[in-house]
Amino acid sequence: MDMSVENQFLNRRILIVEDERRMARFIRLNLEHDGFQVVEAITGQQAIQQLRDTFPDLILLDVMLPDLDGFNVLQTVREISDVPVIMLTAKGEEEDRVRGLELGADDYVTKPFSPRELVSRVRAVLRRAEAIKPGSRTLIEVDEHLKIDFDRRRVWVDGELISLRPTEYRLLYHLVQNAGLVLTHDQILIKVWGYEYRDEPHYVRLYVNYLRKKIEKDPANPKYILTERSIGYRFIDYQRERLT
Ligand code: CA
C-alpha cells in the first residue's frame, strides 16, 4: 500500500474476535500499522461484552471460538447492533461463508490471508457502511472504460451509451453499491428479483452473463463482475483500485 494515501478511516475502532493469539496479533499489528484502533476478545462472551463497552466501528469475527461459535456470536451481535462484521473463515468452507453472509455478516476473509487483503476488505466494508446515500454521487467512474450515472440511469462503455434492460440495470446497481464485497446468489436474487425467486439461482448466472457481454471487454475473463465460486459475485473494488 502506498503510504502517501491517507487513511480516511483513521482511528476507526476494530474489534478482533479470535482465540488464536498469533493470528490476533498478526491482525492487530497490520490494522494498527494502517492507523486503526484495535480491541480484542478471545471468546464469544467477551466479544458481546466488548461490543457493549467499546462500540467498535467494525468486527472481525472468527468462526472457530472456544465457547460460542462465530455464527452464534453473529446472531447475538445482530440482535443488538448493525455494526459491520467480517467473518474469518477457513479455506474450503464455502458453506460457512454463505451461512455467515445470510446471518448478516458483511463479508468474509479466508485464512490464510495477506495483510493487504485484510485491510482492503476492512476499508471496503467501512466505505459501504459510511457511504453517502446512493443517488447523491452522480457520476461513477469505475475506470476509463466504464462510467455509470445511476441518477439518470445511464451507462457508458468506452464513451458509448449502452442500453440495459431493467433487470440488468438493477443487477448492476446492487453489484456496484456493494463494490469490493461479495453478494451471495440468494442475496442477489432477493434484491434484484424479490424473495419469491430465491430458489432460482440460474437467473443470476444468466443475467450476470448478459451484463458481462455488455460491459466487459472480454466477457470470458471479466474484470468488473468477478465470480466467487459456489458463493456469488463481487464487483471490483474500483475505489481502492484507483488509489493504489
Ligand atoms: Ca479461532
Side-chain angles (χ1 to χ4, degrees), residues 168-228:
E168 295 167 345
Y169 182 84
R170 276 205 304 281
L171 175 60
L172 181 65
Y173 178 83
H174 287 293
L175 288 167
V176 173
Q177 290 304 124
N178 294 285
L181 306 174
V182 69
L183 292 175
T184 66
H185 297 111
D186 272 6
Q187 287 174 324
I188 295 172
L189 277 166
I190 291 166
K191 283 188 162 126
V192 177
W193 281 269
Y195 192 80
E196 59 274 28
Y197 288 90
R198 58 188 309 230
D199 296 324
E200 315 276 358
H202 59 279
Y203 283 159
V204 179
R205 223 169 303 131
L206 190 66
Y207 274 82
V208 164
N209 283 338
Y210 292 153
L211 204 48
R212 279 175 172 163
K213 282 188 184 131
K214 292 187 176 178
I215 67 170
E216 300 276 1
K217 267 196 165 2
D218 179 3
N221 294 294
K223 66 171 199 172
Y224 300 124
I225 304 173
L226 311 175
T227 301
E228 295 274 324

Side-chain angles (χ1 to χ4, degrees), residues 10 26-27 37 44 49 56 76 81 111 114 122 125 136 143 161-162 168 178-179 212 227:
L10 197 68
F26 170 77
I27 297 171
Q37 278 185 28
Q49 196 57 48
T76 310
S81 166
K111 292 179 179 178
S114 69
V122 166
V125 169
S136 57
D143 61 10
L161 198 57
I162 62 162
E168 295 167 345
N178 294 285
R212 279 175 172 163
T227 301

